Amino acid sequence: MDTIDLRSDTVTWPTDEMRAAMAQAEVGDDVYGDDPTLNRLEAEAAEMLGKEAALFVTSGTMGNLTALLTHCQRGDEVILGKQAHIFRSEAANAASFGGIQLNTLELNPDGTLDLDQIEGAIREDDEHMPRTRLIALENTQGSLFGVPVSAGYTDRVGDFARARGLGLHIDGARIFNAAAALATPASDLVAAADSVSFCLSKGLCAPVGSLLLGDSDFIQEARRTRKALGGGLRQAGILAAAGLVALRRIPQRLHEDHVHACALAEGLVDVPWISVDPTQVYTNMVYLELSPEAPLTVEALAARLLDEYNVQIARNRYSPTTIRLVTHYWVTATDVEQVLRGFRQVLS
Ligand code: TLP
């Protein structure tokens, strides 16, 4: 990449191997179900995550929306964290396109929801009330330092949901980061879920795409929903070819990004005006606070880092003094040193 871009792992460029695979991809028309490369990607993803079937969608947002629209009817309710991406950062799509209401609960610092609070949020069968249909978890929980959520907890939520006739969806945009951090197969982290979405185009480096997974009936229905949303793609094998390289090559190297995130946090501890807690680095995200007394704003800091050190950072959308640094394939150990030099010199 041409800058050291820490704004997100969504910024990752495809690898050379992905570009070559895209150029050579066998293609068909996926709406007819005959794109061989896309079919292979969906089959391999389903097998990796231990689900019956998978559906390629354009983005994480589309994966979550397709899941919610498939699980829920208009007037249904989904219980999820107040800090969930689905609630905060998906442009109220469940409400605007599905008439679905989101009932949010405060997340614990470890990314979990209390089961007794979920219990309290489930609606009675009463004509005045929405119908509770679904619980949604996020793993890793991006807004809470990228903390991974354990298989044990997810299994408990799955049992709890099944016992009450509710579904469980996992926004697993970064499920392979969670798997790497917990040294647990991703399939174990989602075994309890009726549906899970994960992104190819974040830490896995593919240029486009996410997958939504579940049992065959669910995915057949989701395919209809995706078509209705305009997400029926044609020669999508071009994109799937990069996705296959992503799935086969990248999950096993994600721990390197986590090591780099820790190195960044540790190196920033002594930098003036910055507060950071290295014990709150769990995966590939480092959250920093810039003191309100600092001699420059986050925007001014970002401009100087870019001009003088070729480093890109961005302000957190929800706070003027919070910065999230995200490590990924294109951030090397040498880049980490360069970033630390930049922060030290601009802020000293
Ligand atoms: N997250 C992006 C931004 O929207 C903040 C990022 O840079 O982290 N679930 C989770 C947990 C996500 O973090 C994101 C994207 C999505 C879903 C949506 O994915 P896309 O951007 O592919 O629609």
Side-chain angles (χ1 to χ4, degrees), residues 218-229:
F218 177 84
I219 292 299
Q220 198 181 331
E221 198 52 36
R223 191 173 289 277
R224 231 186 140 77
T225 311
R226 182 189 68 171
K227 191 76 181 72
L229 291 173

Side-chain angles (χ1 to χ4, degrees), residues 7-10 58-62 64 85-86 89-90 138 140 142 171 173-174 199 201-202 210 285 317 324:
R7 292 172 301 167
S8 181
D9 45 13
T10 60
T58 56
S59 66
T61 302
M62 190 178 207
N64 287 329
H85 195 276
I86 290 176
S89 298
E90 299 188 5
E138 183 175 316
T140 64
D171 173 359
R174 296 184 179 85
C199 295
S201 63
K202 296 195 167 60
S210 292
M285 294 181 179
R317 198 168 288 122
R324 182 190 67 164

Side-chain angles (χ1 to χ4, degrees), residues 131-148:
R131 275 207 182 95
T132 307
R133 185 74 66 190
L134 188 70
I135 300 170
L137 300 176
E138 183 175 316
N139 197 5
T140 64
Q141 179 60 54
S143 53
L144 293 178
F145 306 99
V147 68

Side-chain angles (χ1 to χ4, degrees), residues 293-313:
E293 276 83 54
L296 73 186
T297 60
V298 172
E299 285 78 3
L301 171 63
R304 284 199 53 195
L305 286 173
L306 184 58
D307 283 356
E308 297 168 31
Y309 297 90
N310 204 32
V311 170
Q312 275 192 282
I313 65 164

